[in-house]
Amino acid sequence: MSDPDAVDLFVDQWRRERPDLVGDLDAMATIGRLGRIAAVAGPLVERVFARHGLRIGEFDVLAALRRSGEPFTLTPSALARTLMLSPAATTNRLDRLDQAGHVARRLDPDNRRSILVSLTDAGRELVDAAVTEHVRNERALLAGLDDADLRTLDDLLRRLLAGMDQAS
């Protein structure tokens, strides 16, 4: 077992004050650590995107287009579904990225009622540079774990998320 952390302290305090909850406090510790990881890692991830002039949501749009493969084009509806966003939130992000020259919007020649959003050359260069640094940063954030630990953690988190998805 590793050294005690702040989560251990508050769980021990609950054990002392509410011994009737002892069996349930392990879950509190796990959720507490997941929350702490998100709180610590979030700003460190955002800092990488800021160096590239992006907010995390803008990176997500560019990354979705880049991952879609040639011709790096999706409809706003497909982007909203992929990013789990409302159409209005997607439009706001697209407006900022369009103004910056990172995406271009045009009418769909096959469906004149639909718009296509494409990654521009500048957008592709930007997202490729940002994702390269982002991946390095994520690996550095997880440097305390070896490859086997990372695979185990990833598998456990995948199972946890699947169970949460079924419960929601």
Side-chain angles (χ1 to χ4, degrees), residues 4 13 17-18 30 49 51 55 61 81 93 100 103 111 117-118 123 127 137 141-142 149 151 157 160 164:
Q13 290 169 333
E17 296 300 318
R18 292 288 310 273
T30 300
F49 298 136
R51 280 197 289 272
R55 299 177 195 165
V61 170
R81 276 191 309 276
R93 291 178 185 183
V103 300
N111 179 357
V117 179
S118 299
V127 72
N137 183 50
L141 292 173
L142 298 170
D149 289 338
R151 283 190 299 276
L157 292 172
L160 177 63
M164 288 179 174

Side-chain angles (χ1 to χ4, degrees), residues 52 54 58-59 61-73 97 100-104 117-133:
H52 294 274
L54 294 170
E58 295 164 344
F59 171 81
V61 170
L62 296 176
L65 288 166
R66 180 66 172 95
R67 288 190 319 264
S68 73
E70 289 279 355
F72 311 116
T73 300
L97 291 167
H102 302 310
V103 300
V117 179
S118 299
L119 198 57
T120 63
D121 290 342
R124 182 175 174 185
E125 287 177 26
L126 176 64
V127 72
D128 281 351
V131 77
T132 298
E133 186 177 351

